Amino acid sequence: MAITLNSGFKMPVVGLGVWRMEGKDIKDLLINALKIGYRHFDCAADYQNEAEVGEALAEAFQTGLVKREDLFITTKLWNSDHGHVLEACKDSLEKLRLDYLDLYLVHFPIATRHTGVGTTSSALGEDGVLDIDTTISLETTWHAMENLVSLGLVRSIGISNYDIFLTRDCLAYSKVKPVVNQIETHPYFQRESLVKFCQKHGICVTAHTPLGGAAANTEWFGTVSCLEDPALKGLAEKYKKTVAQVVLRWAIQRNTVVIPKSSKLERLQENFNVLDFELTKEDMDLVKSLDRNYRTNQPAKFWGIDLYA
């Protein structure tokens, strides 16, 4: 099952996010994911594992497990490379061992002090606050992204972690429209206005952290996941599915793409098997009623500044 982007290319509605996957484990995880049926992989320079992902993909191509054209590969421009878009994209392509990207995203709507292409550090000033570069506009960054399409290095470009106002601005100055806005959204953080705005203007919403971060965000940010919610547990019993499967199915039925992360084989299988059932309207409404406007992914912990404030 896939969504057709405004660029004409198709993106599978279920992908695998590789955030926080350790290098030594990635090859087996990706090979197993490919065998399960995953064809959409969400990467980022900041995850610092593009080279390991590239090694796994190269093996999959070499053994004939899949062909390049079978896959949809996303990666992202890091904050410190906004003034070096072409070099950053080429660096990611080299590490991923690919000739082109299916999708390249602006990871966050913020430019920070350049620390060297591919280093992806979050440079802090002497005050311990993120060292924001005020000389590079998001419009300048976007036009550099558009150039990547002209050069044939990427098929589609998009944005990530943009709110309604920044998304509107991007639509106003873009010659090549963003195909995707990748945002945190899950039952506790539904962001209905932003999702509807994007969809109204032909921008697909991809849900990162679609399960509310689970153990990873609890560990990093001290946040709680919706997976323990009694109402969602009740739906899981009703449909004889896991809570995660119910949450992912809800996301798909609101026409968003999901990229859950898991390093466990049984979870990889579970997260992929969400197309064989459908939530009723009443149950969709029940999940809608659980919204808490609760963000679980909070980079302010590391940046000394809340960009969402």
Short mmCIF file of all heavy atoms in Angstrom, two decimals, residues 52-95:
data_model
loop_
_atom_site.label_atom_id
_atom_site.label_comp_id
_atom_site.label_asym_id
_atom_site.label_seq_id
_atom_site.Cartn_x
_atom_site.Cartn_y
_atom_site.Cartn_z
N GLU A 52 26.42 2.26 7.65
CA GLU A 52 26.00 0.90 7.97
C GLU A 52 24.73 0.53 7.19
O GLU A 52 24.59 -0.61 6.73
CB GLU A 52 25.75 0.76 9.47
CG GLU A 52 27.02 0.80 10.32
CD GLU A 52 27.54 2.20 10.58
OE1 GLU A 52 26.86 3.18 10.21
OE2 GLU A 52 28.64 2.33 11.15
N VAL A 53 23.82 1.49 7.04
CA VAL A 53 22.64 1.24 6.22
C VAL A 53 23.07 0.96 4.78
O VAL A 53 22.57 0.03 4.12
CB VAL A 53 21.68 2.45 6.26
CG1 VAL A 53 20.55 2.27 5.25
CG2 VAL A 53 21.10 2.63 7.66
N GLY A 54 24.02 1.75 4.28
CA GLY A 54 24.52 1.57 2.92
C GLY A 54 25.14 0.20 2.72
O GLY A 54 24.96 -0.43 1.66
N GLU A 55 25.84 -0.28 3.72
CA GLU A 55 26.45 -1.61 3.63
C GLU A 55 25.37 -2.68 3.51
O GLU A 55 25.48 -3.62 2.72
CB GLU A 55 27.31 -1.85 4.87
CG GLU A 55 28.11 -3.14 4.84
CD GLU A 55 28.97 -3.33 6.07
OE1 GLU A 55 29.11 -2.37 6.86
OE2 GLU A 55 29.49 -4.45 6.27
N ALA A 56 24.31 -2.54 4.30
CA ALA A 56 23.21 -3.51 4.26
C ALA A 56 22.50 -3.47 2.91
O ALA A 56 22.17 -4.51 2.33
CB ALA A 56 22.22 -3.22 5.39
N LEU A 57 22.26 -2.26 2.41
CA LEU A 57 21.59 -2.13 1.11
C LEU A 57 22.44 -2.73 0.00
O LEU A 57 21.92 -3.42 -0.89
CB LEU A 57 21.30 -0.65 0.81
CG LEU A 57 20.29 0.04 1.72
CD1 LEU A 57 20.18 1.52 1.36
CD2 LEU A 57 18.92 -0.63 1.64
N ALA A 58 23.74 -2.48 0.05
CA ALA A 58 24.64 -3.01 -0.98
C ALA A 58 24.59 -4.53 -1.00
O ALA A 58 24.57 -5.16 -2.07
CB ALA A 58 26.07 -2.52 -0.73
N GLU A 59 24.56 -5.13 0.18
CA GLU A 59 24.48 -6.59 0.26
C GLU A 59 23.14 -7.10 -0.30
O GLU A 59 23.10 -8.10 -1.03
CB GLU A 59 24.64 -7.06 1.70
CG GLU A 59 24.57 -8.57 1.86
CD GLU A 59 24.82 -9.03 3.27
OE1 GLU A 59 25.87 -8.64 3.84
OE2 GLU A 59 23.98 -9.78 3.83
N ALA A 60 22.07 -6.37 0.03
CA ALA A 60 20.74 -6.77 -0.47
C ALA A 60 20.69 -6.70 -2.00
O ALA A 60 20.10 -7.56 -2.65
CB ALA A 60 19.67 -5.89 0.15
N PHE A 61 21.30 -5.67 -2.57
CA PHE A 61 21.33 -5.55 -4.04
C PHE A 61 22.20 -6.64 -4.66
O PHE A 61 21.84 -7.25 -5.66
CB PHE A 61 21.86 -4.16 -4.45
CG PHE A 61 21.02 -2.99 -3.97
CD1 PHE A 61 21.61 -1.78 -3.69
CD2 PHE A 61 19.65 -3.12 -3.80
CE1 PHE A 61 20.87 -0.70 -3.26
CE2 PHE A 61 18.88 -2.05 -3.37
CZ PHE A 61 19.50 -0.83 -3.08
N GLN A 62 23.36 -6.87 -4.04
CA GLN A 62 24.32 -7.82 -4.58
C GLN A 62 23.78 -9.25 -4.58
O GLN A 62 24.01 -10.01 -5.52
CB GLN A 62 25.63 -7.76 -3.78
CG GLN A 62 26.75 -8.60 -4.37
CD GLN A 62 28.05 -8.43 -3.59
OE1 GLN A 62 28.08 -7.82 -2.53
NE2 GLN A 62 29.14 -8.99 -4.12
N THR A 63 23.03 -9.59 -3.54
CA THR A 63 22.50 -10.96 -3.43
C THR A 63 21.19 -11.13 -4.20
O THR A 63 20.67 -12.25 -4.29
CB THR A 63 22.25 -11.32 -1.95
OG1 THR A 63 21.33 -10.39 -1.38
CG2 THR A 63 23.56 -11.29 -1.17
N GLY A 64 20.66 -10.03 -4.74
CA GLY A 64 19.42 -10.11 -5.50
C GLY A 64 18.17 -10.13 -4.63
O GLY A 64 17.08 -10.43 -5.13
N LEU A 65 18.32 -9.83 -3.35
CA LEU A 65 17.15 -9.80 -2.46
C LEU A 65 16.15 -8.76 -2.93
O LEU A 65 14.93 -9.01 -2.95
CB LEU A 65 17.60 -9.51 -1.03
CG LEU A 65 16.51 -9.47 0.05
CD1 LEU A 65 15.76 -10.79 0.12
CD2 LEU A 65 17.13 -9.13 1.41
N VAL A 66 16.64 -7.58 -3.32
CA VAL A 66 15.81 -6.52 -3.88
C VAL A 66 16.62 -5.76 -4.93
O VAL A 66 17.85 -5.87 -4.98
CB VAL A 66 15.33 -5.50 -2.81
CG1 VAL A 66 14.29 -6.11 -1.89
CG2 VAL A 66 16.51 -4.95 -2.03
N LYS A 67 15.92 -4.99 -5.72
CA LYS A 67 16.57 -4.07 -6.66
C LYS A 67 16.41 -2.65 -6.13
O LYS A 67 15.49 -2.36 -5.36
CB LYS A 67 15.92 -4.17 -8.04
CG LYS A 67 16.04 -5.54 -8.69
CD LYS A 67 15.30 -5.58 -10.02
CE LYS A 67 15.38 -6.96 -10.66
NZ LYS A 67 14.61 -7.01 -11.94
N ARG A 68 17.31 -1.76 -6.56
CA ARG A 68 17.24 -0.38 -6.09
C ARG A 68 15.87 0.23 -6.36
O ARG A 68 15.31 0.94 -5.50
CB ARG A 68 18.34 0.48 -6.77
CG ARG A 68 18.22 1.98 -6.52
CD ARG A 68 18.41 2.30 -5.05
NE ARG A 68 18.22 3.71 -4.71
CZ ARG A 68 17.10 4.21 -4.22
NH1 ARG A 68 16.04 3.43 -4.07
NH2 ARG A 68 17.02 5.50 -3.90
N GLU A 69 15.31 -0.05 -7.52
CA GLU A 69 14.03 0.57 -7.88
C GLU A 69 12.86 0.06 -7.04
O GLU A 69 11.77 0.64 -7.05
CB GLU A 69 13.73 0.38 -9.37
CG GLU A 69 13.72 -1.06 -9.84
CD GLU A 69 15.06 -1.54 -10.38
OE1 GLU A 69 16.12 -1.03 -9.93
OE2 GLU A 69 15.03 -2.41 -11.28
N ASP A 70 13.09 -1.02 -6.29
CA ASP A 70 12.05 -1.55 -5.40
C ASP A 70 11.92 -0.75 -4.11
O ASP A 70 10.92 -0.87 -3.40
CB ASP A 70 12.36 -3.00 -5.01
CG ASP A 70 12.37 -3.95 -6.19
OD1 ASP A 70 11.65 -3.66 -7.17
OD2 ASP A 70 13.10 -4.95 -6.14
N LEU A 71 12.95 0.05 -3.80
CA LEU A 71 13.03 0.68 -2.49
C LEU A 71 12.72 2.17 -2.52
O LEU A 71 12.89 2.84 -3.54
CB LEU A 71 14.43 0.48 -1.90
CG LEU A 71 14.90 -0.96 -1.71
CD1 LEU A 71 16.25 -0.97 -1.03
CD2 LEU A 71 13.88 -1.78 -0.92
N PHE A 72 12.28 2.67 -1.39
CA PHE A 72 12.07 4.11 -1.17
C PHE A 72 12.96 4.50 0.00
O PHE A 72 12.69 4.13 1.15
CB PHE A 72 10.60 4.40 -0.87
CG PHE A 72 10.26 5.87 -0.92
CD1 PHE A 72 9.66 6.42 -2.05
CD2 PHE A 72 10.55 6.71 0.15
CE1 PHE A 72 9.35 7.78 -2.10
CE2 PHE A 72 10.25 8.06 0.10
CZ PHE A 72 9.65 8.60 -1.03
N ILE A 73 14.02 5.26 -0.31
CA ILE A 73 15.02 5.62 0.71
C ILE A 73 14.96 7.12 0.97
O ILE A 73 15.09 7.94 0.06
CB ILE A 73 16.44 5.25 0.27
CG1 ILE A 73 16.51 3.78 -0.17
CG2 ILE A 73 17.44 5.56 1.39
CD1 ILE A 73 16.24 2.79 0.95
N THR A 74 14.75 7.45 2.24
CA THR A 74 14.72 8.85 2.69
C THR A 74 15.93 9.11 3.57
O THR A 74 16.32 8.26 4.38
CB THR A 74 13.46 9.11 3.54
OG1 THR A 74 12.30 8.87 2.76
CG2 THR A 74 13.44 10.55 4.06
N THR A 75 16.55 10.27 3.43
CA THR A 75 17.48 10.75 4.45
C THR A 75 17.30 12.25 4.58
O THR A 75 16.46 12.85 3.89
CB THR A 75 18.93 10.33 4.17
OG1 THR A 75 19.68 10.47 5.37
CG2 THR A 75 19.58 11.13 3.06
N LYS A 76 18.07 12.86 5.50
CA LYS A 76 17.75 14.23 5.89
C LYS A 76 18.98 15.11 6.03
O LYS A 76 20.04 14.66 6.46
CB LYS A 76 16.99 14.24 7.23
CG LYS A 76 15.78 13.32 7.25
CD LYS A 76 15.09 13.34 8.60
CE LYS A 76 14.04 12.26 8.71
NZ LYS A 76 14.63 10.92 8.92
N LEU A 77 18.79 16.39 5.68
CA LEU A 77 19.80 17.43 5.83
C LEU A 77 19.87 17.87 7.28
O LEU A 77 18.85 18.26 7.85
CB LEU A 77 19.44 18.62 4.94
CG LEU A 77 20.31 19.87 5.07
CD1 LEU A 77 21.62 19.68 4.32
CD2 LEU A 77 19.57 21.10 4.57
N TRP A 78 21.07 17.83 7.88
CA TRP A 78 21.16 18.23 9.28
C TRP A 78 21.28 19.74 9.42
O TRP A 78 21.65 20.46 8.49
CB TRP A 78 22.34 17.53 9.97
CG TRP A 78 22.38 17.80 11.44
CD1 TRP A 78 23.41 18.35 12.15
CD2 TRP A 78 21.32 17.57 12.40
NE1 TRP A 78 23.06 18.47 13.49
CE2 TRP A 78 21.79 18.01 13.66
CE3 TRP A 78 20.03 17.05 12.30
CZ2 TRP A 78 21.01 17.94 14.83
CZ3 TRP A 78 19.26 16.98 13.44
CH2 TRP A 78 19.74 17.41 14.69
N ASN A 79 20.96 20.22 10.62
CA ASN A 79 20.89 21.66 10.90
C ASN A 79 22.18 22.40 10.57
O ASN A 79 22.14 23.55 10.12
CB ASN A 79 20.59 21.87 12.39
CG ASN A 79 19.35 21.13 12.85
OD1 ASN A 79 18.49 20.77 12.06
ND2 ASN A 79 19.26 20.87 14.14
N SER A 80 23.32 21.78 10.79
CA SER A 80 24.60 22.46 10.59
C SER A 80 25.03 22.51 9.14
O SER A 80 26.05 23.12 8.82
CB SER A 80 25.69 21.78 11.44
OG SER A 80 25.77 20.40 11.13
N ASP A 81 24.27 21.88 8.26
CA ASP A 81 24.64 21.83 6.84
C ASP A 81 23.72 22.64 5.94
O ASP A 81 23.73 22.46 4.72
CB ASP A 81 24.67 20.37 6.35
CG ASP A 81 25.86 19.60 6.90
OD1 ASP A 81 26.89 20.24 7.20
OD2 ASP A 81 25.76 18.37 7.02
N HIS A 82 22.93 23.56 6.50
CA HIS A 82 22.01 24.33 5.67
C HIS A 82 22.74 25.17 4.62
O HIS A 82 22.19 25.44 3.55
CB HIS A 82 21.14 25.24 6.55
CG HIS A 82 19.95 24.55 7.13
ND1 HIS A 82 18.68 25.07 7.10
CD2 HIS A 82 19.84 23.36 7.77
CE1 HIS A 82 17.84 24.23 7.69
NE2 HIS A 82 18.53 23.19 8.12
N GLY A 83 23.96 25.56 4.91
CA GLY A 83 24.73 26.33 3.93
C GLY A 83 25.56 25.46 3.02
O GLY A 83 26.33 25.97 2.20
N HIS A 84 25.40 24.14 3.14
CA HIS A 84 26.21 23.18 2.38
C HIS A 84 25.33 22.02 1.91
O HIS A 84 25.69 20.86 2.07
CB HIS A 84 27.36 22.67 3.25
CG HIS A 84 28.24 23.75 3.78
ND1 HIS A 84 29.40 24.16 3.15
CD2 HIS A 84 28.11 24.53 4.88
CE1 HIS A 84 29.95 25.14 3.85
NE2 HIS A 84 29.19 25.40 4.89
N VAL A 85 24.20 22.36 1.31
CA VAL A 85 23.19 21.36 0.98
C VAL A 85 23.71 20.35 -0.03
O VAL A 85 23.56 19.13 0.16
CB VAL A 85 21.90 22.04 0.46
CG1 VAL A 85 20.92 21.01 -0.06
CG2 VAL A 85 21.27 22.88 1.56
N LEU A 86 24.33 20.81 -1.10
CA LEU A 86 24.82 19.90 -2.14
C LEU A 86 25.87 18.94 -1.57
O LEU A 86 25.80 17.72 -1.79
CB LEU A 86 25.41 20.69 -3.31
CG LEU A 86 26.01 19.86 -4.45
CD1 LEU A 86 24.97 18.92 -5.05
CD2 LEU A 86 26.60 20.77 -5.53
N GLU A 87 26.81 19.49 -0.82
CA GLU A 87 27.88 18.65 -0.25
C GLU A 87 27.30 17.64 0.74
O GLU A 87 27.72 16.48 0.79
CB GLU A 87 28.92 19.51 0.46
CG GLU A 87 29.61 20.53 -0.44
CD GLU A 87 28.98 21.91 -0.35
OE1 GLU A 87 27.72 21.99 -0.36
OE2 GLU A 87 29.74 22.88 -0.26
N ALA A 88 26.34 18.08 1.54
CA ALA A 88 25.73 17.19 2.53
C ALA A 88 24.97 16.05 1.85
O ALA A 88 25.04 14.89 2.28
CB ALA A 88 24.80 17.97 3.44
N CYS A 89 24.24 16.37 0.80
CA CYS A 89 23.50 15.35 0.07
C CYS A 89 24.45 14.33 -0.55
O CYS A 89 24.23 13.12 -0.46
CB CYS A 89 22.63 16.00 -1.01
SG CYS A 89 21.66 14.81 -1.97
N LYS A 90 25.52 14.82 -1.17
CA LYS A 90 26.49 13.92 -1.78
C LYS A 90 27.16 13.03 -0.73
O LYS A 90 27.43 11.85 -0.98
CB LYS A 90 27.54 14.72 -2.55
CG LYS A 90 27.03 15.31 -3.86
CD LYS A 90 28.13 16.04 -4.61
CE LYS A 90 27.67 16.51 -5.97
NZ LYS A 90 28.76 17.24 -6.70
N ASP A 91 27.40 13.59 0.45
CA ASP A 91 28.00 12.82 1.53
C ASP A 91 27.06 11.69 1.97
O ASP A 91 27.50 10.55 2.17
CB ASP A 91 28.30 13.75 2.72
CG ASP A 91 29.00 13.03 3.86
OD1 ASP A 91 30.16 12.63 3.69
OD2 ASP A 91 28.38 12.86 4.93
N SER A 92 25.76 11.99 2.08
CA SER A 92 24.79 10.96 2.44
C SER A 92 24.69 9.89 1.36
O SER A 92 24.64 8.69 1.66
CB SER A 92 23.42 11.59 2.70
OG SER A 92 23.40 12.29 3.92
N LEU A 93 24.67 10.32 0.11
CA LEU A 93 24.61 9.35 -1.00
C LEU A 93 25.81 8.41 -0.99
O LEU A 93 25.68 7.20 -1.20
CB LEU A 93 24.53 10.09 -2.34
CG LEU A 93 23.18 10.69 -2.70
CD1 LEU A 93 23.31 11.62 -3.90
CD2 LEU A 93 22.17 9.58 -3.00
N GLU A 94 26.98 8.99 -0.74
CA GLU A 94 28.20 8.16 -0.70
C GLU A 94 28.13 7.14 0.42
O GLU A 94 28.45 5.96 0.24
CB GLU A 94 29.43 9.06 -0.53
CG GLU A 94 30.75 8.31 -0.55
CD GLU A 94 31.95 9.23 -0.44
OE1 GLU A 94 31.78 10.46 -0.54
OE2 GLU A 94 33.07 8.71 -0.24
N LYS A 95 27.69 7.58 1.60
CA LYS A 95 27.60 6.67 2.74
C LYS A 95 26.54 5.60 2.51
O LYS A 95 26.72 4.43 2.89
CB LYS A 95 27.30 7.46 4.01
CG LYS A 95 28.48 8.28 4.50
CD LYS A 95 28.09 9.17 5.67
CE LYS A 95 29.30 9.97 6.17
NZ LYS A 95 28.92 10.97 7.19
#
